[in-house]
Amino acid sequence: MSKPRYTGVLLAGLLLTASVPHAGAAPLSTAIAKSIQEHIRSASAAQTEETAPARQTGRQVGFAGLEKTVREKNPTVKALDRTLAGIKGTDLDAQFAGQYLQYEAQRTAYQRQIEAYQQAIAALEQHAADPAIAAQIAALRINLGVAQGSLEGANRAIDALDKAEENARDDLADTVATYERQFENAKNQLVLGAQSAYLGAVSIRAGLDTLDRSLAGLDRNLAVVEKQVSLGMASQLTLDSLRQTRGTVLAQRATLEKQLDGVQNQLALLLGEPAGEAVTVADAPEVSERQLSEMRYETDLEQAKKNSYAIWSKQDAARKASNDYEDNVTATVDAYEAAKLNLEAEKENVTVAFRALYQDVQDKRAQAADAQAALALQQRNFAVSELQYNRGMISKNDFLGAQDELAAKQDALDAAKLALFTAYNAYDWARRGLMNSASS
């Protein structure tokens, strides 16, 4: 796919966090706008011919392998994996073994005491007629009762320990399942962040190509106007205006270069590259007609709800609120009822957001088709201009202008294809359970 037109994507602030936005259109900041004006004034005052800065170079990466690389090399992902492995490796046997040994030892000691008391009582009972012996037997029976009570206490403690261990294992399994879901969502956010940075870099790079063509066209026009001014056919004001326009374009280009470097550096970090390591991006993929034709709103919506992390979070909160209520942890049902309402509201939020994502893909598909038709028309127009140029009917400058118009239509198509792919990628992530909505 050819490189698409720049759409104003500004991702220089992308950070290594679990919450990362999609690449999308955004206006230049006030600070950048002021910087552009300063560049314009500087260029106009000096009236020098600036040259475009060199592009950042580095290892080229493709979109297809981004997810695998992030999951294998991103330092945050590795830390999450180590944390989860540590939780899974919790040794409950060792934690409970010492307590079991302690209670078993107590139970054995109580059993021995009971046996000793019983033997002593049996030996003395044949002399029970003696009041003194009878008193000893009574005392032994008291001690026997105490020992039996202690044995029952030790047995209850072991039973309670069995239940505590069972609960601990259930709690551990619940904790592991919770962290697995939370960590997977965090990993997905990192992958989506890398993909957003990648698509942003593609868009910025396309903007640089568009500006380069604009500079080439301005240079051609400047040469013509400079000649016209020397012949008295054009005013100096016209020439100065063109030079100022060129300075504006140069300033915009310098800004985009900085943005591209920033985005690609952040992408390198997300991919687990060492600090300072540079990467460049290949062209963005295109959405195939098969992928678009296989979209099924109702089926995909059910899949999105099933996989939704936002819905799972509310379900988990409702489950815990229910358990607390059943265990009398909460005095009223308010917390449980509120959790259920939040769950239903989240399901509705996901439905609404998913519908918007589905519609966005359809809109972008129609826009890409319109851009394709506009390019086809411009190609026919260019064929006429080419024929006229070859026959000497138009100037070379007019012919190059026709080439620029054709390139602009190609840019528009590429931008539409990139927008379609970005929309489809967001839709696909929603099916997988990740949806960057206000509620999520």
Side-chain angles (χ1 to χ4, degrees), residues 301-422:
L301 174 59
E302 290 307 310
Q303 183 181 2
K305 287 181 177 179
K306 179 181 178 181
N307 296 332
S308 171
Y309 176 78
I311 291 178
W312 173 84
S313 296
K314 298 298 187 292
Q315 286 176 331
D316 194 52
R319 176 182 63 83
K320 291 177 180 176
S322 175
N323 292 341
D324 288 345
Y325 177 68
E326 291 176 358
D327 295 338
N328 294 319
V329 176
T330 55
T332 68
V333 299
D334 291 348
Y336 178 45
E337 293 299 328
K340 289 196 295 183
L341 289 175
N342 289 337
L343 173 58
E344 293 307 312
E346 189 57 45
K347 289 180 179 179
E348 183 62 24
N349 289 340
V350 168
T351 299
V352 172
F354 189 79
R355 177 64 186 178
L357 290 173
Y358 178 86
Q359 189 59 50
D360 190 43
V361 174
Q362 305 311 312
D363 293 343
K364 297 300 190 297
R365 185 181 189 180
Q367 292 168 15
D370 290 342
Q372 183 71 64
L375 174 62
L377 176 59
Q378 191 62 42
Q379 286 172 333
R380 291 194 293 272
N381 292 336
F382 177 75
V384 173
S385 297
E386 187 174 33
L387 180 61
Q388 291 175 332
Y389 174 69
N390 291 334
R391 292 181 176 179
M393 299 171 64
I394 61 174
S395 68
K396 182 177 182 180
N397 212 36
D398 289 338
F399 174 70
L400 293 177
Q403 280 187 330
D404 289 342
E405 291 178 5
L406 180 62
K409 294 299 182 183
Q410 181 65 59
D411 283 351
L413 174 59
D414 293 337
K417 287 182 177 180
L418 178 60
L420 174 58
F421 178 80
T422 301

Side-chain angles (χ1 to χ4, degrees), residues 218-243 397:
L218 284 169
D219 287 340
R220 292 197 305 269
N221 290 335
L222 276 170
V224 172
V225 174
E226 285 172 351
K227 183 66 173 179
Q228 290 174 341
V229 169
S230 68
L231 297 174
M233 299 172 61
S235 68
Q236 183 64 38
L237 181 61
T238 301
L239 180 59
D240 291 342
S241 178
L242 276 175
R243 286 173 174 168
N397 212 36

Side-chain angles (χ1 to χ4, degrees), residues 22 33 49 61 85 90 118 127 202 207 242 281 340 345 379:
H22 289 291
E49 294 293 321
V61 296
T90 301
Q118 290 173 338
H127 306 292
V202 170
L242 276 175
V281 297
K340 289 196 295 183
Q379 286 172 333

Side-chain angles (χ1 to χ4, degrees), residues 25 58 64 75 84 88 92 112 128 139 156 174 178 205-206 212 243 248 252 255 269 271 308 317-318 377 387:
L84 185 60
K88 288 182 175 180
L92 292 179
R112 289 175 178 173
R156 286 195 298 272
D174 186 63
T178 297
R205 189 182 64 191
D212 286 343
R243 286 173 174 168
T248 300
Q252 291 174 337
T255 298
L269 293 176
L271 294 175
S308 171
L377 176 59
L387 180 61

Side-chain angles (χ1 to χ4, degrees), residues 87-233:
I87 296 172
K88 288 182 175 180
T90 301
D91 191 353
L92 292 179
D93 290 335
Q95 293 183 17
F96 284 91
Q99 297 180 61
Y100 274 116
L101 289 175
Q102 178 183 350
Y103 287 124
E104 285 291 349
Q106 291 178 2
R107 188 165 65 173
T108 299
Y110 293 142
Q111 287 175 334
R112 289 175 178 173
Q113 288 180 12
I114 291 170
E115 292 172 358
Y117 289 138
Q118 290 173 338
Q119 290 173 1
I121 290 171
L124 292 175
E125 279 184 338
Q126 57 184 327
H127 306 292
D130 186 333
I133 298 298
Q136 292 181 22
I137 292 175
L140 287 172
R141 290 188 185 281
I142 293 174
N143 291 336
L144 175 61
V146 172
Q148 288 173 333
S150 298
L151 177 59
E152 291 176 0
N155 288 332
R156 286 195 298 272
I158 290 177
D159 291 340
L161 196 60
D162 287 339
K163 184 63 176 178
E165 183 177 8
E166 180 182 344
N167 290 339
R169 295 191 184 282
D170 290 341
D171 290 343
L172 178 60
D174 186 63
T175 299
V176 169
T178 297
Y179 277 110
E180 280 181 334
R181 192 65 187 266
Q182 292 176 347
F183 287 0
E184 181 61 23
N185 182 66
K187 294 175 186 178
N188 288 342
Q189 291 280 3
L190 289 167
V191 172
L192 180 56
Q195 292 179 346
S196 297
Y198 184 102
L199 297 176
V202 170
S203 187
I204 294 172
R205 189 182 64 191
L208 288 168
D209 291 338
T210 298
L211 291 179
D212 286 343
R213 283 195 296 272
S214 296
L215 286 170
L218 284 169
D219 287 340
R220 292 197 305 269
N221 290 335
L222 276 170
V224 172
V225 174
E226 285 172 351
K227 183 66 173 179
Q228 290 174 341
V229 169
S230 68
L231 297 174
M233 299 172 61

